[in-house]
Structures are given as structure tokens and as C-alpha cells.
Amino acid sequence: ITSHQDSRIESNPIAFFAMMSAPRSLNVRSSARGTPRASRGASARSTTREARHSRHALIYAASTSVTDTSVAAAPEAGLPIEKAGPNFTPVLDACAIQQILPHRYPFLLVDKVIEMERGSHAVAVKNVSMNEQFFTGHFPQRPIMPGVLQVEAMAQVGGLVLLDEAEDGDGTGTKQQFFFGGVDSCRFRKPVVPGDVLHMKVELIKLQKRFGIAKMKGTCYVGEDVTCEAELMLVLGKEES
């Protein structure tokens, strides 16, 4: 084993155990004592070669596929990875969101809000599950969240920025409504797939109160990668009594 392999094994215990569990040439030679010398030598050389190749293959597989995923995601603080994932305390949970937005399953695309300044901006989360209804047909062989639904999700976050659940003061939620008025400069940067956690930041750029028209900037992220960005126009209305 070369020093390069040693360094990879030290950083990845799985590679070490894979190497140790592979057959060794010493065991092969000791188990071949009862055979004729000529055939024993040829057999030992062949099996030793196979054992070496097997060990190298195991070391390579462990140091590439396993190391690349586990080390890249390992927390820097030394916590086990199952305890290190961020789970932000919501500013608005799913129940509070339903007091503001009229959307319901399967079209409520905001699970929680983790930062918000009403009338300014909000950051919200959508946990993308394989159980999402749209994955049935988009696409059966390669499930990808439709880009238009990312835009719709950002518009819903925009509604949370604009609407106030306490506006009417009766505890039943807001009587305001909003409608999607338009989309500009929309770009889809990266696919969103099952298991992704979609973070959406929506900022109010301009509000024309007289006409009830708001212009907003929305960006979707998975980790540090931008998946979608767009300028949104929302139109405010009032629920008819």
C-alpha cells in the first residue's frame, strides 16, 4: 500500500476495514501446502495477484465513493452527522402559515418560515419529498420538481411578506388575498430532486399601495446552490364578504 493510499485510509476507516477483510497472500500460501510445488506456486501467484487486485479495488471504491460523500458532508464541530443537520426554529410553522395563506394540500408549497420582517423579506423552507404528487408524472424515471412550482412557492412566500394575519383582529386570519400578476427574468439553474431542502428568500422591491401591486425578488437555494431566481409581481385584493 502506498503512502497515498495510507493517507486515504487514515481519513476513512471504512477503507481500512475493507482492506483488512480482503484475502491476503500469506493465507493463500499457508493453505496450499498440501499441493504439488509447481501447481502450488502457480496457484499462489495467481491467487495473490487476484487478492492484490481485490484489495486495491476495495481501497479505491471506499476512498472514492464513500469518502467523497461522507467526508464532504461531515460536520466540522465533530458532531455525528445525524445530529449536525440544521433544523431552524420556525418563525411561522405550517399551522400559522395556513392562517395567512389560502392555499391547501397539494398546493401549499411552504412548510415553515425561518426568518421574516413583514413588509420587507422572508426566508422559508420547502422539504421536497418523494411523496409529492407532481413526481408521479414529472418524471417517472427521473423525478424533478417542476420549475414553475418553485416560482409558485416563492410567490407564496411573497404573500407571507405582504399579508398580516392579525389585520382584522378577529383571530380567524387575514381577509386579504393576493394574486400572481407576472414573472420576469426567471432562470432555472439546477434541478430540485426528492430529498432536497429548498430554501427560498423573497424580498419586497417596490410596493404601489394605491394599486395594490408589489414587485418582489425571489431566489431558491439547495445548500449554497441557486436553483431558481425570478422577479415576481403580486396583486393584493380583499376577500369578498
Side-chain angles (χ1 to χ4, degrees):
I1 303 173
T2 64
S3 59
H4 177 61
Q5 290 169 338
D6 284 335
S7 63
R8 289 187 296 180
I9 290 172
E10 288 175 3
S11 63
N12 184 4
I14 297 176
F16 174 76
F17 289 117
M19 180 196 72
M20 295 301 294
S21 62
R24 296 176 176 272
S25 58
L26 177 62
N27 295 336
V28 171
R29 284 195 294 268
S30 63
S31 64
R33 288 178 181 173
T35 60
R37 183 177 299 275
S39 60
R40 185 171 62 193
S43 175
R45 284 193 298 273
S46 174
T47 312
T48 301
R49 207 163 33 242
E50 292 174 3
R52 188 184 302 116
H53 292 164
S54 175
R55 290 171 63 196
H56 287 174
L58 285 168
I59 293 168
Y60 177 79
S63 62
T64 54
S65 60
V66 176
T67 304
D68 289 348
T69 55
S70 61
V71 172
E76 295 181 1
L79 288 173
I81 194 167
E82 67 272 14
K83 297 181 180 180
N87 185 26
F88 299 103
T89 302
V91 176
L92 295 175
D93 62 13
C95 294
I97 289 170
Q98 291 181 79
Q99 288 292 314
I100 305 173
L101 297 181
H103 306 75
R104 295 297 182 267
Y105 174 85
F107 227 67
L108 180 58
L109 301 176
V110 184
D111 292 331
K112 64 181 178 180
V113 177
I114 57 176
E115 180 181 299
M116 184 167 73
E117 182 179 341
R118 200 173 301 280
S120 173
H121 73 278
V123 179
V125 174
K126 164 64 179 171
N127 295 297
V128 183
S129 166
M130 187 60 199
N131 292 321
E132 305 288 352
Q133 194 178 54
F134 48 77
F135 284 139
T136 304
H138 197 278
F139 302 99
Q141 302 303 319
R142 189 188 177 192
I144 296 175
M145 183 178 183
V148 292
L149 293 186
Q150 294 183 58
V151 177
E152 168 63 24
M154 289 190 292
Q156 293 180 16
V157 179
L160 293 170
V161 173
L162 296 174
L163 304 181
D164 186 355
E165 76 275 19
E167 176 218 4
D168 293 292
D170 59 2
T172 61
T174 181
K175 296 298 186 294
Q176 286 183 315
Q177 292 182 339
F178 72 97
F179 303 92
F180 217 155
V183 183
D184 291 315
S185 304
C186 182
R187 294 291 183 273
F188 302 111
R189 306 294 185 186
K190 186 178 180 180
V192 177
V193 299
D196 283 343
V197 178
L198 193 66
H199 286 79
M200 301 164 285
K201 182 172 184 179
V202 178
E203 304 168 274
L204 179 62
I205 298 173
K206 185 177 181 181
L207 175 61
Q208 298 178 356
K209 289 187 177 181
R210 180 180 177 184
F211 302 103
I213 296 175
K215 186 175 182 181
M216 314 192 84
K217 168 68 176 177
T219 309
C220 289
Y221 300 87
V222 172
E224 298 180 356
D225 297 325
V226 174
T227 64
C228 176
E229 54 188 346
E231 294 178 0
L232 315 172
M233 184 174 72
L234 305 183
V235 181
L236 292 170
K238 192 85 172 181
E239 184 179 300
E240 295 182 2
S241 55

PDB file of all heavy atoms in Angstrom, residues 118-137:
ATOM      1  N   ARG A 118     -41.920  41.527   8.216  1.00  0.00           N
ATOM      2  CA  ARG A 118     -43.114  41.785   7.420  1.00  0.00           C
ATOM      3  C   ARG A 118     -42.992  43.116   6.685  1.00  0.00           C
ATOM      4  O   ARG A 118     -42.548  44.109   7.241  1.00  0.00           O
ATOM      5  CB  ARG A 118     -44.362  41.802   8.320  1.00  0.00           C
ATOM      6  CG  ARG A 118     -45.643  41.583   7.544  1.00  0.00           C
ATOM      7  CD  ARG A 118     -46.827  41.431   8.479  1.00  0.00           C
ATOM      8  NE  ARG A 118     -46.667  40.328   9.406  1.00  0.00           N
ATOM      9  CZ  ARG A 118     -46.893  39.061   9.092  1.00  0.00           C
ATOM     10  NH1 ARG A 118     -47.249  38.745   7.858  1.00  0.00           N
ATOM     11  NH2 ARG A 118     -46.747  38.109   9.991  1.00  0.00           N
ATOM     12  N   GLY A 119     -43.350  43.065   5.413  1.00  0.00           N
ATOM     13  CA  GLY A 119     -43.221  44.240   4.572  1.00  0.00           C
ATOM     14  C   GLY A 119     -41.831  44.438   4.018  1.00  0.00           C
ATOM     15  O   GLY A 119     -41.575  45.427   3.320  1.00  0.00           O
ATOM     16  N   SER A 120     -40.911  43.490   4.285  1.00  0.00           N
ATOM     17  CA  SER A 120     -39.546  43.620   3.789  1.00  0.00           C
ATOM     18  C   SER A 120     -39.068  42.339   3.106  1.00  0.00           C
ATOM     19  O   SER A 120     -38.789  42.342   1.897  1.00  0.00           O
ATOM     20  CB  SER A 120     -38.594  43.975   4.936  1.00  0.00           C
ATOM     21  OG  SER A 120     -37.245  43.951   4.501  1.00  0.00           O
ATOM     22  N   HIS A 121     -38.962  41.236   3.852  1.00  0.00           N
ATOM     23  CA  HIS A 121     -38.433  39.999   3.268  1.00  0.00           C
ATOM     24  C   HIS A 121     -38.812  38.809   4.148  1.00  0.00           C
ATOM     25  O   HIS A 121     -39.256  38.972   5.296  1.00  0.00           O
ATOM     26  CB  HIS A 121     -36.909  40.065   3.138  1.00  0.00           C
ATOM     27  CG  HIS A 121     -36.190  39.947   4.452  1.00  0.00           C
ATOM     28  ND1 HIS A 121     -36.017  41.030   5.311  1.00  0.00           N
ATOM     29  CD2 HIS A 121     -35.628  38.877   5.082  1.00  0.00           C
ATOM     30  CE1 HIS A 121     -35.371  40.636   6.384  1.00  0.00           C
ATOM     31  NE2 HIS A 121     -35.121  39.328   6.275  1.00  0.00           N
ATOM     32  N   ALA A 122     -38.605  37.620   3.611  1.00  0.00           N
ATOM     33  CA  ALA A 122     -38.810  36.383   4.362  1.00  0.00           C
ATOM     34  C   ALA A 122     -37.936  35.295   3.770  1.00  0.00           C
ATOM     35  O   ALA A 122     -37.633  35.300   2.571  1.00  0.00           O
ATOM     36  CB  ALA A 122     -40.275  35.955   4.351  1.00  0.00           C
ATOM     37  N   VAL A 123     -37.536  34.353   4.634  1.00  0.00           N
ATOM     38  CA  VAL A 123     -36.820  33.151   4.208  1.00  0.00           C
ATOM     39  C   VAL A 123     -37.650  31.958   4.679  1.00  0.00           C
ATOM     40  O   VAL A 123     -37.959  31.845   5.866  1.00  0.00           O
ATOM     41  CB  VAL A 123     -35.402  33.076   4.803  1.00  0.00           C
ATOM     42  CG1 VAL A 123     -34.695  31.795   4.353  1.00  0.00           C
ATOM     43  CG2 VAL A 123     -34.586  34.304   4.394  1.00  0.00           C
ATOM     44  N   ALA A 124     -38.011  31.098   3.742  1.00  0.00           N
ATOM     45  CA  ALA A 124     -38.888  29.969   4.048  1.00  0.00           C
ATOM     46  C   ALA A 124     -38.284  28.673   3.536  1.00  0.00           C
ATOM     47  O   ALA A 124     -37.333  28.678   2.746  1.00  0.00           O
ATOM     48  CB  ALA A 124     -40.271  30.194   3.446  1.00  0.00           C
ATOM     49  N   VAL A 125     -38.875  27.554   3.993  1.00  0.00           N
ATOM     50  CA  VAL A 125     -38.347  26.222   3.692  1.00  0.00           C
ATOM     51  C   VAL A 125     -39.449  25.362   3.083  1.00  0.00           C
ATOM     52  O   VAL A 125     -40.591  25.376   3.540  1.00  0.00           O
ATOM     53  CB  VAL A 125     -37.815  25.535   4.972  1.00  0.00           C
ATOM     54  CG1 VAL A 125     -37.394  24.099   4.679  1.00  0.00           C
ATOM     55  CG2 VAL A 125     -36.656  26.329   5.556  1.00  0.00           C
ATOM     56  N   LYS A 126     -39.067  24.633   2.035  1.00  0.00           N
ATOM     57  CA  LYS A 126     -39.922  23.599   1.465  1.00  0.00           C
ATOM     58  C   LYS A 126     -39.120  22.302   1.455  1.00  0.00           C
ATOM     59  O   LYS A 126     -38.084  22.201   0.794  1.00  0.00           O
ATOM     60  CB  LYS A 126     -40.345  23.970   0.034  1.00  0.00           C
ATOM     61  CG  LYS A 126     -40.917  22.823  -0.799  1.00  0.00           C
ATOM     62  CD  LYS A 126     -42.208  22.280  -0.235  1.00  0.00           C
ATOM     63  CE  LYS A 126     -42.766  21.155  -1.116  1.00  0.00           C
ATOM     64  NZ  LYS A 126     -43.899  20.482  -0.457  1.00  0.00           N
ATOM     65  N   ASN A 127     -39.575  21.294   2.218  1.00  0.00           N
ATOM     66  CA  ASN A 127     -38.935  19.984   2.215  1.00  0.00           C
ATOM     67  C   ASN A 127     -39.504  19.168   1.055  1.00  0.00           C
ATOM     68  O   ASN A 127     -40.699  18.860   1.047  1.00  0.00           O
ATOM     69  CB  ASN A 127     -39.191  19.267   3.545  1.00  0.00           C
ATOM     70  CG  ASN A 127     -38.533  19.979   4.703  1.00  0.00           C
ATOM     71  OD1 ASN A 127     -37.324  20.104   4.761  1.00  0.00           O
ATOM     72  ND2 ASN A 127     -39.336  20.475   5.635  1.00  0.00           N
ATOM     73  N   VAL A 128     -38.655  18.837   0.122  1.00  0.00           N
ATOM     74  CA  VAL A 128     -39.106  18.153  -1.095  1.00  0.00           C
ATOM     75  C   VAL A 128     -39.064  16.644  -0.858  1.00  0.00           C
ATOM     76  O   VAL A 128     -37.990  16.064  -0.684  1.00  0.00           O
ATOM     77  CB  VAL A 128     -38.234  18.537  -2.305  1.00  0.00           C
ATOM     78  CG1 VAL A 128     -38.752  17.867  -3.575  1.00  0.00           C
ATOM     79  CG2 VAL A 128     -38.205  20.052  -2.472  1.00  0.00           C
ATOM     80  N   SER A 129     -40.226  16.011  -0.846  1.00  0.00           N
ATOM     81  CA  SER A 129     -40.347  14.588  -0.561  1.00  0.00           C
ATOM     82  C   SER A 129     -40.685  13.808  -1.824  1.00  0.00           C
ATOM     83  O   SER A 129     -41.318  14.329  -2.747  1.00  0.00           O
ATOM     84  CB  SER A 129     -41.448  14.365   0.488  1.00  0.00           C
ATOM     85  OG  SER A 129     -41.812  13.007   0.554  1.00  0.00           O
ATOM     86  N   MET A 130     -40.284  12.540  -1.852  1.00  0.00           N
ATOM     87  CA  MET A 130     -40.644  11.672  -2.973  1.00  0.00           C
ATOM     88  C   MET A 130     -42.149  11.474  -3.050  1.00  0.00           C
ATOM     89  O   MET A 130     -42.684  11.092  -4.091  1.00  0.00           O
ATOM     90  CB  MET A 130     -39.935  10.314  -2.819  1.00  0.00           C
ATOM     91  CG  MET A 130     -40.107   9.386  -4.023  1.00  0.00           C
ATOM     92  SD  MET A 130     -39.456  10.110  -5.538  1.00  0.00           S
ATOM     93  CE  MET A 130     -40.284   9.133  -6.776  1.00  0.00           C
ATOM     94  N   ASN A 131     -42.860  11.745  -1.960  1.00  0.00           N
ATOM     95  CA  ASN A 131     -44.313  11.586  -1.930  1.00  0.00           C
ATOM     96  C   ASN A 131     -45.058  12.763  -2.553  1.00  0.00           C
ATOM     97  O   ASN A 131     -46.296  12.762  -2.556  1.00  0.00           O
ATOM     98  CB  ASN A 131     -44.790  11.400  -0.479  1.00  0.00           C
ATOM     99  CG  ASN A 131     -44.335  10.090   0.109  1.00  0.00           C
ATOM    100  OD1 ASN A 131     -44.322   9.070  -0.571  1.00  0.00           O
ATOM    101  ND2 ASN A 131     -43.931  10.109   1.370  1.00  0.00           N
ATOM    102  N   GLU A 132     -44.336  13.768  -3.042  1.00  0.00           N
ATOM    103  CA  GLU A 132     -45.011  14.891  -3.695  1.00  0.00           C
ATOM    104  C   GLU A 132     -45.836  14.393  -4.871  1.00  0.00           C
ATOM    105  O   GLU A 132     -45.386  13.549  -5.660  1.00  0.00           O
ATOM    106  CB  GLU A 132     -43.989  15.920  -4.188  1.00  0.00           C
ATOM    107  CG  GLU A 132     -43.036  16.452  -3.135  1.00  0.00           C
ATOM    108  CD  GLU A 132     -43.691  17.398  -2.147  1.00  0.00           C
ATOM    109  OE1 GLU A 132     -44.870  17.771  -2.348  1.00  0.00           O
ATOM    110  OE2 GLU A 132     -43.022  17.759  -1.163  1.00  0.00           O
ATOM    111  N   GLN A 133     -47.025  14.931  -4.998  1.00  0.00           N
ATOM    112  CA  GLN A 133     -47.949  14.465  -6.023  1.00  0.00           C
ATOM    113  C   GLN A 133     -47.401  14.654  -7.435  1.00  0.00           C
ATOM    114  O   GLN A 133     -47.600  13.809  -8.312  1.00  0.00           O
ATOM    115  CB  GLN A 133     -49.295  15.197  -5.872  1.00  0.00           C
ATOM    116  CG  GLN A 133     -50.431  14.594  -6.650  1.00  0.00           C
ATOM    117  CD  GLN A 133     -51.737  15.335  -6.404  1.00  0.00           C
ATOM    118  OE1 GLN A 133     -51.803  16.547  -6.567  1.00  0.00           O
ATOM    119  NE2 GLN A 133     -52.763  14.612  -5.983  1.00  0.00           N
ATOM    120  N   PHE A 134     -46.659  15.746  -7.645  1.00  0.00           N
ATOM    121  CA  PHE A 134     -46.207  16.043  -9.013  1.00  0.00           C
ATOM    122  C   PHE A 134     -45.130  15.085  -9.500  1.00  0.00           C
ATOM    123  O   PHE A 134     -44.901  14.976 -10.705  1.00  0.00           O
ATOM    124  CB  PHE A 134     -45.712  17.499  -9.117  1.00  0.00           C
ATOM    125  CG  PHE A 134     -44.765  17.924  -8.034  1.00  0.00           C
ATOM    126  CD1 PHE A 134     -43.431  17.537  -8.028  1.00  0.00           C
ATOM    127  CD2 PHE A 134     -45.214  18.740  -6.999  1.00  0.00           C
ATOM    128  CE1 PHE A 134     -42.568  17.938  -7.035  1.00  0.00           C
ATOM    129  CE2 PHE A 134     -44.353  19.153  -5.988  1.00  0.00           C
ATOM    130  CZ  PHE A 134     -43.018  18.756  -6.005  1.00  0.00           C
ATOM    131  N   PHE A 135     -44.449  14.362  -8.583  1.00  0.00           N
ATOM    132  CA  PHE A 135     -43.423  13.420  -9.025  1.00  0.00           C
ATOM    133  C   PHE A 135     -44.015  12.208  -9.749  1.00  0.00           C
ATOM    134  O   PHE A 135     -43.287  11.479 -10.422  1.00  0.00           O
ATOM    135  CB  PHE A 135     -42.580  12.951  -7.846  1.00  0.00           C
ATOM    136  CG  PHE A 135     -41.575  13.974  -7.368  1.00  0.00           C
ATOM    137  CD1 PHE A 135     -41.354  14.163  -6.016  1.00  0.00           C
ATOM    138  CD2 PHE A 135     -40.862  14.742  -8.283  1.00  0.00           C
ATOM    139  CE1 PHE A 135     -40.431  15.098  -5.576  1.00  0.00           C
ATOM    140  CE2 PHE A 135     -39.950  15.680  -7.847  1.00  0.00           C
ATOM    141  CZ  PHE A 135     -39.724  15.867  -6.487  1.00  0.00           C
ATOM    142  N   THR A 136     -45.310  11.993  -9.615  1.00  0.00           N
ATOM    143  CA  THR A 136     -45.950  10.872 -10.316  1.00  0.00           C
ATOM    144  C   THR A 136     -45.764  10.984 -11.817  1.00  0.00           C
ATOM    145  O   THR A 136     -45.573   9.987 -12.513  1.00  0.00           O
ATOM    146  CB  THR A 136     -47.451  10.825  -9.978  1.00  0.00           C
ATOM    147  OG1 THR A 136     -47.599  10.744  -8.553  1.00  0.00           O
ATOM    148  CG2 THR A 136     -48.131   9.635 -10.632  1.00  0.00           C
ATOM    149  N   GLY A 137     -45.813  12.217 -12.326  1.00  0.00           N
ATOM    150  CA  GLY A 137     -45.687  12.390 -13.770  1.00  0.00           C
ATOM    151  C   GLY A 137     -44.518  13.250 -14.200  1.00  0.00           C
ATOM    152  O   GLY A 137     -44.302  13.430 -15.404  1.00  0.00           O
TER     153      GLY A 137
END
